[in-house]
Amino acid sequence: MNITTTVLEHIFSTTQLENQRTLFEEDFYDTHHRYFDQIDDDYLLATNMSTADLILKWGFDWPDNYLEIGIEAAKHRCRPYENMNSWKDISYEYLYYFSDSCSCLSSKGFKFFLIAAINIYLLDQKLNMNFIYFFIDRLGRNWEKDKECFSNDQQAFLRKFLQTCFP
């Protein structure tokens, strides 16, 4: 089996994110121990912050558009809308900023973002690919738990990918 984006698309099709949390949400959760839709007035009072302060004062190293999305999500106490319908919608920049939070994802959420990370890796290896190591680490540490989300063909692809790209 060749390791190409065409093979990746065939084996993984265009998996949807559905109701799984995003890397962006997990990054916020890592800091605040609650998701955007779990922020309540008691929490804001205890932290002595407004919803905008909650994002801005913590000094998240997020691009401006994600700061805006985070502020809106916190204000409305809802999940952020990131315009990601399938793993093909995930950009390099997104993985660059948020991949360190992949260890917090559910198995299904991890599968969604792992496919995106492999896709970006296969498309352009001239970019800074440090993000992929977070996924490889999670894959190794949680394989027994996560493997239930992958078909036999997908598991074979992942083994071949690791053997070929990260011997």
Side-chain angles (χ1 to χ4, degrees), residues 97-154:
Y97 280 100
F98 302 116
S99 61
D100 60 337
S101 296
C102 75
S103 62
C104 302
L105 292 167
S106 68
S107 293
K108 286 183 179 180
F110 174 69
K111 178 181 179 179
F112 179 87
F113 287 102
L114 173 66
I115 299 163
I118 292 172
N119 184 53
I120 297 293
Y121 179 85
L122 294 174
L123 285 174
D124 191 354
Q125 293 181 8
K126 293 176 185 146
L127 299 169
N128 179 342
M129 290 295 167
N130 287 338
F131 72 86
I132 197 78
Y133 294 105
F134 291 108
F135 289 94
I136 291 170
D137 181 58
R138 159 75 189 259
L139 195 60
R141 283 187 294 107
N142 284 14
W143 178 247
E144 288 305 312
K145 181 180 109 180
D146 292 337
K147 73 178 180 182
E148 301 302 319
C149 290
F150 298 101
S151 70
N152 289 339
D153 287 344
Q154 292 169 346

Side-chain angles (χ1 to χ4, degrees), residues 40-104:
D40 58 20
D41 290 332
D42 293 336
Y43 180 72
L44 292 172
L45 187 61
T47 59
N48 196 28
M49 289 189 222
S50 71
T51 52
D53 289 343
L54 190 64
I55 306 297
L56 297 173
K57 285 188 179 178
W58 279 88
F60 286 102
D61 185 25
W62 294 344
D64 289 343
N65 60 319
Y66 282 102
L67 284 172
E68 291 172 24
I69 291 169
I71 289 169
E72 286 303 308
K75 277 185 191 174
H76 295 100
R77 292 162 186 166
C78 64
R79 292 187 65 192
Y81 181 68
E82 297 178 68
N83 202 23
M84 294 183 300
N85 298 312
S86 79
W87 56 264
K88 290 182 179 185
D89 298 328
I90 309 302
S91 68
Y92 165 78
E93 290 79 14
Y94 186 89
L95 293 171
Y96 177 82
Y97 280 100
F98 302 116
S99 61
D100 60 337
S101 296
C102 75
S103 62
C104 302

